[in-house]
Amino acid sequence: MKKYILAVDIGGTSIECGLFDRSGKLLSTSTLHTMEVMQGDVAEQLAEELRRKLDDRGILFEEVYGLGIGVPGIVNAENGVVLKAPSLKWDHYPLKGKLQRLLDVPVYIGNDVNTGLLGEVEAGGLQNVSHAIYMMIGTSIGVGLLLNGEVYEGHRFSAGEAGYMITDRSILSDGFQSARRGYGFLSSKAGGFGMANEYEKKTGKSVSAKELFFLVKKGNKAAINVVDQAVEHLTFSLINMTAILNPEVILLGGGVGRELSPYLVKIDENLEKYVSNKPKLRISHMQNHSVLYGAFSLCRKQVKST
């Protein structure tokens, strides 16, 4: 009898693997370091870790419904090919096909932000919500769009690539220098890596995004200036998306998104000022588990439809 679902969150820094029962209870997690895994074949090392996870609990693959995976990139959800994932240096990587051959279970793959959105609908801040913008701000920026209770992926699976939004009109004539190859303007100004890059340009000192917010709390003027400017760019983008999509809720997630609590009132005031129907503004409380729960939900949804 099938009782379990495997879930994986592939991130730029770490890979989290989870085991769920069919009711959605998270039974166990384990973490791999992405850079170490990238030195070999990713699919083979993931398969090895998932086999070990089941062996540790005495579970057979015959008891597993399937595997859900969230990937930081553009994913063809129909065939499971990762079309583009700059942080993983993947270009048309056939992740689904490889894992299905290695594990002999159904595999379902989605963009990590869309998968995180599913996780928030499943167990987080978007339960019982039908229209939402889920902005995941981590190393870079991505958005998941919930329209009429369904994740909207757009033409060619690239809806929600908000990191490419332009929130400064001078850029149209002057251009800009990307914080990292493949990064758009908003990610370069308001993503974790982009903010750290802006701080280094101002001070000559290299910091992580976490260290940058620590400096803000300590009153460092350069750090405060960088984060204030980033929040302005994020606010522009949220106002514009709200004007078009009319969401019930805007939910901020990701490591950087969770640091924005002190700025919520200001963002909310600007939404009140500039849009006709202001949505509720929230910060995710799922910590690092939204994508993992979303990967579970992605797999369960597909199993139910077959």
Side-chain angles (χ1 to χ4, degrees):
M1 182 179 177
K2 297 186 184 297
K3 305 176 184 177
Y4 305 100
I5 288 176
L6 290 164
V8 174
D9 171 12
I10 300 179
T13 303
S14 63
I15 298 172
E16 189 172 13
C17 303
L19 174 66
F20 289 82
D21 67 17
R22 61 185 175 183
S23 73
K25 181 180 179 181
L26 181 58
L27 303 176
S28 70
T29 62
S30 58
T31 302
L32 303 172
H33 295 290
T34 305
M35 295 309 297
E36 292 179 7
V37 173
M38 292 288 293
Q39 291 175 11
D41 185 87
V42 175
E44 289 180 3
Q45 293 190 65
L46 274 180
E48 183 179 336
E49 175 63 23
L50 295 172
R51 289 192 195 99
R52 182 163 50 245
K53 181 173 287 294
L54 295 185
D55 287 345
D56 288 347
R57 286 182 164 260
I59 297 170
L60 302 175
F61 268 98
E62 287 77 8
E63 298 175 89
V64 175
Y65 284 103
L67 165 63
I69 305 176
V71 177
I74 299 173
V75 178
N76 183 326
E78 295 172 0
N79 62 18
V81 172
V82 183
L83 302 175
K84 190 176 184 180
S87 62
L88 302 174
K89 299 179 181 176
W90 284 354
D91 186 355
H92 288 80
Y93 184 75
L95 183 60
K96 174 178 178 173
K98 284 191 170 191
L99 283 170
Q100 284 190 161
R101 286 193 295 273
L102 289 165
L103 298 175
D104 197 28
V105 297
V107 177
Y108 307 99
I109 299 176
N111 165 268
D112 60 342
V113 182
N114 288 340
T115 307
L117 170 61
L118 284 175
E120 295 289 349
V121 172
E122 174 76 28
L126 296 177
Q127 294 179 81
N128 303 312
V129 173
S130 297
H131 302 270
I133 293 170
Y134 173 55
M135 178 175 273
M136 184 182 284
I137 314 168
T139 305
S140 61
I141 298 172
V143 163
L145 302 173
L146 187 69
L147 306 180
N148 295 315
E150 298 289 334
V151 175
Y152 178 70
E153 295 181 321
H155 176 59
R156 300 187 69 178
F157 313 100
S158 56
E161 292 290 328
Y164 292 98
M165 290 183 75
I166 301 295
T167 51
D168 179 345
R169 67 179 186 177
S170 69
I171 300 307
L172 293 179
S173 56
D174 300 338
F176 75 99
Q177 184 175 356
S178 177
R180 177 184 278 174
R181 185 177 180 182
Y183 274 31
F185 180 78
L186 188 61
S187 283
S188 293
K189 292 295 182 182
F193 183 85
M195 280 192 273
N197 183 62
E198 289 294 307
Y199 179 81
E200 185 173 359
K201 286 196 293 186
K202 287 178 181 292
T203 66
K205 298 176 182 177
S206 177
V207 296
S208 66
K210 185 175 182 180
E211 290 166 341
L212 181 68
F213 279 97
F214 179 77
L215 290 171
V216 169
K217 291 169 186 173
K218 289 292 185 181
N220 182 287
K221 290 183 179 180
I224 291 170
N225 179 259
V226 166
V227 175
D228 282 350
Q229 288 187 13
V231 171
E232 286 185 3
H233 287 293
L234 291 171
T235 304
F236 288 145
S237 70
L238 292 173
I239 288 170
N240 291 334
M241 284 188 280
T242 298
I244 295 170
L245 297 170
N246 184 29
E248 295 173 62
V249 177
I250 293 173
L251 185 67
L252 304 179
V256 172
R258 290 192 296 272
E259 295 283 355
L260 297 181
S261 291
Y263 304 89
L264 281 194
V265 171
K266 185 65 174 176
I267 297 172
D268 200 54
E269 286 175 351
N270 280 305
L271 284 166
E272 179 75 54
K273 190 185 300 184
Y274 294 112
V275 298
S276 57
N277 293 287
K278 185 180 75 66
K280 297 173 183 175
L281 181 62
R282 303 172 181 167
I283 287 184
S284 171
H285 297 293
M286 291 194 73
Q287 300 299 323
N288 295 322
H289 283 161
S290 62
V291 177
L292 208 60
Y293 273 86
F296 159 79
S297 180
L298 177 68
C299 185
R300 185 181 62 181
K301 181 180 179 181
Q302 295 291 341
V303 168
K304 283 184 176 180
S305 68
T306 58

